[in-house]
Amino acid sequence: GAGVSQTPSNKVTEKGKYVELRCDPISGHTALYWYRQSLGQGPEFLIYFQGTGAADDSGLPNDRFFAVRPEGSVSTLKIQRTERGDSAVYLCASSSTPPLAGGNEQFFGPGTRLTVL
Amino acid sequence: DQQVKQNSPSLSVQEGRISILNCDYTNSMFDYFLWYKKYPAEGPTFLISISSIKDKNEDGRFTVFLNKSAKHLSLHIVPSQPGDSAVYFCAASSGLAQKLVFGQGTRLTINP
């Protein structure tokens, strides 16, 4: 399909383990975003990439969270030493809008549900 | 500090009538506003947006109104259809800060 894809769709891990979540954006979209959605809440911003570089990582909760986008397309969100409080749906979105233009419509993937036991 | 608020967690509307979903914001730097619709186990789907230079934008059955002085926006759906039953999120962004700030969502149920 032509939309944003995320793998895995579900991930169950044990407290203290390391996890990687993958996002494939819409082809040609230069901007990529990660959000986290907890139950009953709206998505919360984590990090934004423009091309290969992280333009804004102000939403990352602590240094256990890290994300990369080495070739400007696929991105991986990495969580070290997972905690039960990290359990949430992790959403990826992409956009074709350059930063200086208006119209910030972001297109979301289905998310990865992370459960930390 | 909740910069975007949707104060109604749920709304129930009869099929064919108008649905009005409300959203308030506190950050006067927000200049672009969006509405997303979310079904269970799916990501949010973009519905409609509005720039702060406008006060209304319409797309088919969906109209978004922006009242900057009141820092309030609303989404009108008319006529409401059963397929509109979903959780609706409003979101805002400001200038170069491309991140979206979301409200908590409103669950809309359309009754036949």
Side-chain angles (χ1 to χ4, degrees), chain A residues 43-85:
Chain A
E44 291 181 290
F45 170 78
L46 294 176
I47 187 170
Y48 154 52
F49 287 90
Q50 182 60 36
T52 60
D56 182 357
D57 65 357
S58 62
L60 294 178
N62 52 60
D63 61 7
R64 295 187 297 106
F65 289 74
F66 190 70
V68 295
R69 196 186 184 199
E71 298 178 358
S73 178
V74 170
S75 176
T76 304
L77 178 66
K78 308 181 181 192
I79 311 175
Q80 297 178 321
R81 304 183 305 279
T82 51
E83 300 179 356
R84 292 193 181 88

Side-chain angles (χ1 to χ4, degrees), chain A residues 33 35 37 40-43 45 48 56 58 91 97-101 103-110, chain B residues 2 32 34 36 38 41-46 49 89 93 95-105:
Chain A
Y33 312 80
Y35 293 83
Q37 185 175 17
Q41 301 296 318
F45 170 78
Y48 154 52
D56 182 357
S58 62
L91 293 163
T97 306
L100 295 180
N104 189 21
E105 290 85 3
Q106 297 177 17
F107 299 89
F108 284 81
Chain B
Q2 191 76 30
Y32 202 78
L34 308 90
Y36 282 84
K38 188 179 183 305
E42 295 184 11
T45 302
F46 170 72
S49 60
F89 293 97
S93 67
L96 298 178
Q98 292 292 295
K99 65 182 180 184
L100 295 179
V101 180
F102 283 85
Q104 308 96 308

Side-chain angles (χ1 to χ4, degrees), chain A residues 6-68:
Chain A
Q6 293 186 245
T7 54
S9 55
N10 280 284
K11 177 70 177 178
V12 180
T13 191
E14 293 180 342
K15 180 175 178 295
K17 299 289 188 182
Y18 168 83
V19 297
E20 290 189 352
L21 312 178
R22 176 187 167 106
C23 173
D24 280 90
I26 293 172
S27 178
H29 279 190
T30 57
L32 184 146
Y33 312 80
W34 284 98
Y35 293 83
R36 177 168 73 171
Q37 185 175 17
S38 301
L39 195 62
Q41 301 296 318
E44 291 181 290
F45 170 78
L46 294 176
I47 187 170
Y48 154 52
F49 287 90
Q50 182 60 36
T52 60
D56 182 357
D57 65 357
S58 62
L60 294 178
N62 52 60
D63 61 7
R64 295 187 297 106
F65 289 74
F66 190 70
V68 295

Side-chain angles (χ1 to χ4, degrees), chain B residues 3 5 7 12 17 27 29 39 42 46-47 55 63 68 80 87 91-92 104 106 108:
Chain B
Q3 296 186 66
K5 296 181 183 180
N7 291 317
S12 186
R17 307 294 287 266
N27 188 341
M29 297 301 291
Y39 293 119
E42 295 184 11
F46 170 72
L47 264 181
D55 54 18
T63 303
K68 284 183 292 183
S80 300
V87 177
Q104 308 96 308
T106 296
L108 175 65

